[in-house]
Amino acid sequence: MTDLDQFRTETRAWLAANCPLEMREPIRSEKDAVWGGRDQSNLTPAQKSWMDAMAAKGWTVPDWPKAYGGGGLSPAETKILREEMAAIRARNPLNSFGISMLGPALLKYGTEEQKLDHLTKIAKGENRWCQGYSEPNAGSDLAALATSAEDKGDHYLVNGQKVWTSYADKADWIFCLVRTDKTSKQGGISFVLFDMASEGVSTKPILLISGYSPFCETFMDNVKVPKENLVHEENKGWDVAKYLLGHEREMISGMGLASTGGNPLIDGAIATIGLDHDGRLADPLLRASIAMFEVRSKAFGMMSERFIDELKAGRAHPAQPSMMKYYGTELNKSRYELMMAAGGSDALEWESDASSGGATPRAWLRTKANSIEGGTSEVQLNIIAKRILELPSA
Ligand SMILES: Cc1cc2nc3c(=O)[nH]c(=O)nc-3n(C[C@H](O)[C@H](O)[C@H](O)COP(=O)(O)OP(=O)(O)OC[C@H]3O[C@@H](n4cnc5c(N)ncnc54)[C@H](O)[C@@H]3O)c2cc1C
């Protein structure tokens, strides 16, 4: 038995013993996802025990170094862990912008103190983070951001407004882009961290058409940010911001992957439309569209595996996350269009218990945002054209 075979056997046994049965069901709604944070009062006992058990092994962040709360696993071991979790349909124990966005950026650019403090808390789910990038006049053109950070010796005084800050009203800390030099666009941006409980920080939730309110306007009014919370050098925040965006796009592209718990598209279509006498979906046009979608989805799954392997081996093209983000999010939109088509007019109902409060139509509306958040599809196509196809800028 090789070391990896042994690791697989031990991992399988550990997961079987430690993953509660409730955590082996697909995530159906927002409240099923665990985000961690100072306030953990709304976690179910199963969610809490699954998160804590995985965190104790360092497996909420399996490939981070052990010194920062990670599992210290190699890329091959990390892949085995993912496969074994998928095999029992185990849920992700912890979803967190700290894990998918800030963590990789701190691992590359953070000081030792920042890593020891923030990464270990992220790994244990102790702090929930939000992202302060977009502003009313800085979205796709992010480097136009105006939130200012004035040097006051041992701290910066931050003033300005962010918008579309996901879960800012629930987050404990924010990673935030601020302007420390007005004379240079990209070269005048710094990357800072601060506690959302700091004096002068306030948030205002934005209500969406889906009925949810997942993001906020965030206001900073004379917020004192200690200098030790600057990540990388002053005026070099754009490097950190771009590196983090690559990881954010990689995370968002995962929306395009099939869920680990069955195939809701095919199962749902069969349940509403039924089968013909040859055992095929009774609507031939929808059947062909679903078949085409499944082929694209399988190809994307394989491309994702290859991309992750290349990324871990340090061989991924820096613009590859844009390709993944573009395709993954467009694919997820197609999946939900087909689910809604299969459900017919009944699929639009979103209040009854039978539809779990309209889980599918609400998720369908949410997919429209996938190709906007983290940089729009048009912006990803611009990056692909310029960086991968080497076409001249418009
Ligand atoms: C669900 C969701 C969650 C989000 N969460 C966060 C968050 O937590 N933190 C945060 O900071 N931000 C967040 N955002 C904001 C997101 O990053 C921005 O919405 C995005 O970058 C686009 O910016 P904008 O909305 O200002 O659109 P604009 O930049 O005004 O774009 C409007 C339209 O013009 C197109 N366009 C703009 N420039 C170009 C160009 N050069 N070439 C071609 N087309 C172009 C765009 O593709 C788009 O269709 C979130 C957004 C969504 C939808």
Side-chain angles (χ1 to χ4, degrees):
M1 196 187 251
T2 66
D3 288 351
L4 284 180
D5 288 338
Q6 183 164 351
F7 177 75
R8 187 182 291 280
T9 308
E10 287 167 7
T11 300
R12 189 172 297 172
W14 188 88
L15 289 173
N18 289 281
C19 181
L21 288 180
E22 300 96 307
M23 296 296 102
R24 303 183 194 192
E25 294 287 324
I27 288 189
R28 291 207 169 77
S29 71
E30 186 83 350
K31 68 176 169 25
D32 284 345
V34 173
W35 290 88
R38 284 176 194 144
D39 178 11
Q40 303 199 349
S41 57
N42 57 354
L43 295 187
T44 65
Q47 285 175 327
K48 175 94 179 108
S49 96
W50 179 222
M51 181 180 79
D52 289 348
M54 287 289 274
K57 279 194 86 73
W59 285 2
T60 51
V61 280
D63 56 352
W64 287 10
K66 285 190 174 171
Y68 310 135
L73 300 188
S74 66
E77 288 168 333
T78 305
K79 197 166 174 178
I80 289 174
L81 174 60
R82 251 190 308 127
E83 287 167 0
E84 291 301 319
M85 285 175 67
I88 61 163
R89 299 162 60 162
R91 281 185 195 168
N92 209 356
L94 179 61
N95 297 286
S96 137
F97 293 170
I99 292 178
S100 54
M101 299 193 222
L102 179 64
L106 279 187
L107 282 168
K108 186 169 164 76
Y109 291 104
T111 61
E112 192 55 22
E113 290 72 27
Q114 288 169 344
K115 289 181 197 173
L116 284 170
D117 183 12
H118 297 300
L119 294 179
T120 45
K121 288 180 184 150
I122 289 170
K124 288 191 212 141
E126 287 177 358
N127 270 347
R128 184 169 181 176
W129 286 83
C130 64
Q131 178 187 35
Y133 273 32
S134 308
E135 296 183 4
N137 292 313
S140 299
D141 185 12
L142 181 60
L145 63 95
T147 293
S148 67
E150 211 184 321
D151 190 335
K152 293 284 182 187
D154 63 344
H155 67 273
Y156 293 105
L157 202 60
V158 175
N159 279 287
Q161 187 202 334
K162 298 288 170 180
V163 73
W164 313 127
T165 328
S166 298
Y167 309 113
D169 53 339
K170 299 186 173 62
D172 307 306
W173 277 71
I174 185 168
F175 47 92
C176 190
L177 295 180
V178 292
R179 181 151 300 287
T180 33
D181 181 350
K182 290 191 177 123
T183 62
S184 169
K185 196 174 179 186
Q186 280 87 353
I189 292 172
S190 298
F191 190 107
V192 295
L193 314 172
F194 53 88
D195 194 318
M196 290 294 280
S198 310
E199 203 178 330
V201 181
S202 57
T203 59
K204 196 168 152 204
I206 302 170
L207 186 65
L208 304 186
I209 189 176
S210 64
Y212 295 136
S213 199
F215 37 39
C216 298
E217 293 178 281
T218 305
F219 302 92
M220 277 80 62
D221 185 13
N222 285 329
V223 178
K224 279 186 181 174
V225 177
K227 280 267 177 78
E228 62 262 27
N229 290 4
L230 172 74
V231 178
H232 198 32
E233 292 168 40
E234 190 174 283
N235 295 327
K236 293 258 177 77
W238 190 242
D239 294 340
V240 189
K242 280 191 300 181
Y243 183 75
L244 184 146
L245 272 175
H247 285 273
E248 178 179 5
R249 287 169 184 161
E250 180 199 335
M251 178 265 293
I252 297 171
S253 77
M255 310 264 175
L257 296 173
S259 70
T260 46
N263 187 324
L265 170 56
I266 294 179
D267 297 346
I270 292 173
T272 12
I273 293 165
L275 300 175
D276 67 12
H277 47 76
D278 291 322
R280 302 173 306 181
L281 188 68
D283 178 334
L285 286 180
L286 190 62
R287 191 167 74 223
S289 301
I290 291 178
M292 185 59 78
F293 170 83
E294 288 296 323
V295 171
R296 291 167 56 209
S297 174
K298 288 258 175 327
F300 179 70
M302 286 188 267
M303 191 171 92
S304 290
E305 282 293 325
R306 186 175 134 185
F307 166 63
I308 290 168
D309 287 347
E310 284 174 349
L311 193 72
K312 302 281 179 228
R315 289 206 306 266
H317 188 290
Q320 229 164 322
S322 292
M323 263 169 52
M324 302 295 299
K325 203 249 167 193
Y326 173 75
Y327 201 76
T329 56
E330 296 298 331
L331 200 60
N332 201 34
K333 287 201 285 191
S334 313
R335 172 185 291 121
Y336 276 88
E337 287 295 334
L338 287 168
M339 281 165 86
M340 293 302 286
S345 55
D346 286 353
L348 288 169
E349 182 278 308
W350 68 358
E351 277 169 353
S352 71
D353 287 345
S355 69
S356 303
T360 303
R362 286 178 200 275
W364 165 63
L365 288 174
R366 179 63 180 80
T367 63
K368 311 289 179 196
N370 293 161
S371 50
I372 300 174
E373 60 198 319
T376 66
S377 277
E378 290 77 16
V379 167
Q380 304 319 305
L381 289 174
N382 282 349
I383 294 172
I384 294 163
K386 216 157 90 178
R387 306 259 167 78
I388 299 183
L389 303 176
E390 297 185 0
L391 297 174
S393 304

